[in-house]
Amino acid sequence: MPMSRLKTTHDVFSAIGEPKRRLLIEQLVIKEMTVNELVDIFDWSQPTVSKHLSVLKKVKIVSERKEGRFRYYQIQPDQLRPIQEWMHQFDKYWGSTMDQLDNYLNQIQVKGKNSEQ
Amino acid sequence: MPMSRLKTTHDVFSAIGEPKRRLLIEQLVIKEMTVNELVDIFDWSQPTVSKHLSVLKKVKIVSERKEGRFRYYQIQPDQLRPIQEWMHQFDKYWGSTMDQLDNYLNQIQVKGKNSEQ
DNA sequence: TACTTTGTCAACCTTTTGGTTGAATTAATA
DNA sequence: TATTAATTCAACCAAAAGGTTGACAAAGTA
């Protein structure tokens, strides 16, 4: 009997495998949005956006907040940690220690600025 | 007419969306291997491993080195940088600055040890 | 040369994916 | 209350994914 395939959309890694879903995530990192706001930005059909959001909801990358007729979708960055952690195995290949320290210090500066808002 | 779907295996992000491919990558990070070495480790069919490797080759995450009858597959970590870079947008959500500095320093230590081998 | 080993490639099958269309649901508004 | 707006849900479709099987190719070995 043929082995049944893993349902790819039930996994954080495959959820971000889809380019449209990455674009949606990039928008929701900026701020929470409704489906139609996303439709306006990307000019995809509304059910298409809804379907991708429901995949992201299933793997908990986004959550839903109801407000009247509207549903606001917000990012849940914690759910993406497995990806970040998986990527650590390649850290040693990326740039010199000095480059990394440099990146790190720049990162702290940016963070400082953001948290002042 | 229906819009044709993007071929997901022609993209680094979707290439790592498949769990088996992630496992293959994890092995090849340790050292270059032949198909049959990977078959022995994972107990998947040989064509299955071959097919996944060919996807990884297509997106350049692994390269092939021929030696007699054997073909050694090796990881090309550079190709995974787009993922690392994409993940940066979430850095600000992950732990305190102190946690990150701590992780960073541990990382340097581990790197130092590895490079002594 | 014949056989074995290592491995790909092509063909096929089933399930999943991503998309569409249209009906249903829920909440605000005229 | 009827209408409009915001959105999901179900049904359907074509293409792609992942797996298998079997044929083939290339390199070493008896």
Side-chain angles (χ1 to χ4, degrees):
Chain A
M1 88 216 78
M3 173 92 66
S4 73
R5 205 178 4 152
L6 268 183
K7 209 170 274 177
T8 54
T9 39
H10 286 35
D11 171 292
V12 186
F13 285 88
S14 39
I16 69 147
E18 197 342 289
K20 282 194 169 74
R21 284 197 287 266
R22 283 200 301 283
L23 291 170
L24 290 174
I25 289 170
E26 287 164 29
Q27 282 301 314
L28 294 177
V29 165
I30 300 169
K31 66 176 176 70
E32 63 172 13
M33 289 186 191
T34 65
V35 177
N36 279 320
E37 285 182 275
L38 293 164
V39 167
D40 289 343
I41 290 170
F42 293 112
D43 203 34
W44 306 328
S45 83
Q46 196 271 333
T48 290
V49 176
S50 263
K51 250 195 170 181
H52 282 302
L53 283 175
S54 86
V55 171
L56 293 173
K57 262 192 298 180
K58 226 173 262 169
V59 300
K60 312 251 176 80
I61 294 177
V62 310
S63 61
E64 197 185 300
R65 180 174 71 81
K66 290 180 89 161
E67 190 181 307
R69 274 180 302 177
F70 301 90
R71 302 193 191 188
Y72 286 94
Y73 292 92
Q74 23 188 215
I75 201 90
Q76 296 295 329
D78 270 7
Q79 300 300 315
L80 291 160
R81 283 207 85 140
I83 298 171
Q84 176 72 357
E85 275 154 26
W86 191 80
M87 290 302 290
H88 277 329
Q89 66 189 308
F90 306 105
D91 282 357
K92 56 182 169 183
Y93 297 109
W94 291 336
S96 67
T97 303
M98 283 310 288
D99 288 344
Q100 288 188 33
L101 183 56
D102 200 45
N103 288 339
Y104 180 71
L105 294 175
N106 285 333
Q107 202 181 298
I108 291 175
Q109 282 192 308
V110 171
K111 217 192 309 294
K113 273 183 193 158
N114 284 347
S115 60
E116 277 165 22
Q117 294 174 358
Chain B
M1 88 214 78
M3 172 92 65
S4 71
R5 210 191 341 164
L6 269 183
K7 211 169 274 179
T8 55
T9 39
H10 288 34
D11 171 291
V12 186
F13 285 88
S14 39
I16 69 148
E18 193 349 284
K20 282 193 169 74
R21 285 198 286 265
R22 284 200 302 283
L23 291 170
L24 290 174
I25 290 170
E26 287 164 29
Q27 283 301 314
L28 294 177
V29 165
I30 300 170
K31 65 177 178 69
E32 62 173 11
M33 288 186 191
T34 65
V35 177
N36 279 318
E37 286 182 274
L38 293 164
V39 167
D40 288 343
I41 290 169
F42 292 114
D43 204 34
W44 306 329
S45 84
Q46 196 270 332
T48 291
V49 176
S50 262
K51 248 193 172 183
H52 283 302
L53 283 175
S54 86
V55 171
L56 293 173
K57 262 191 300 180
K58 225 173 263 169
V59 299
K60 312 249 176 83
I61 293 176
V62 310
S63 61
E64 198 184 299
R65 178 174 74 81
K66 288 180 90 162
E67 191 181 308
R69 273 180 303 178
F70 302 90
R71 300 193 193 188
Y72 286 93
Y73 292 94
Q74 22 188 214
I75 202 90
Q76 295 296 329
D78 270 9
Q79 299 301 315
L80 292 159
R81 285 207 85 140
I83 298 171
Q84 176 71 357
E85 274 154 26
W86 191 78
M87 290 302 289
H88 276 330
Q89 66 189 307
F90 306 106
D91 281 357
K92 57 183 169 185
Y93 297 109
W94 291 336
S96 68
T97 302
M98 282 311 287
D99 289 344
Q100 287 188 34
L101 183 56
D102 200 45
N103 288 339
Y104 180 69
L105 293 176
N106 286 332
Q107 202 180 296
I108 291 174
Q109 281 192 310
V110 171
K111 217 192 310 295
K113 273 183 195 159
N114 284 346
S115 60
E116 278 164 20
Q117 294 175 356

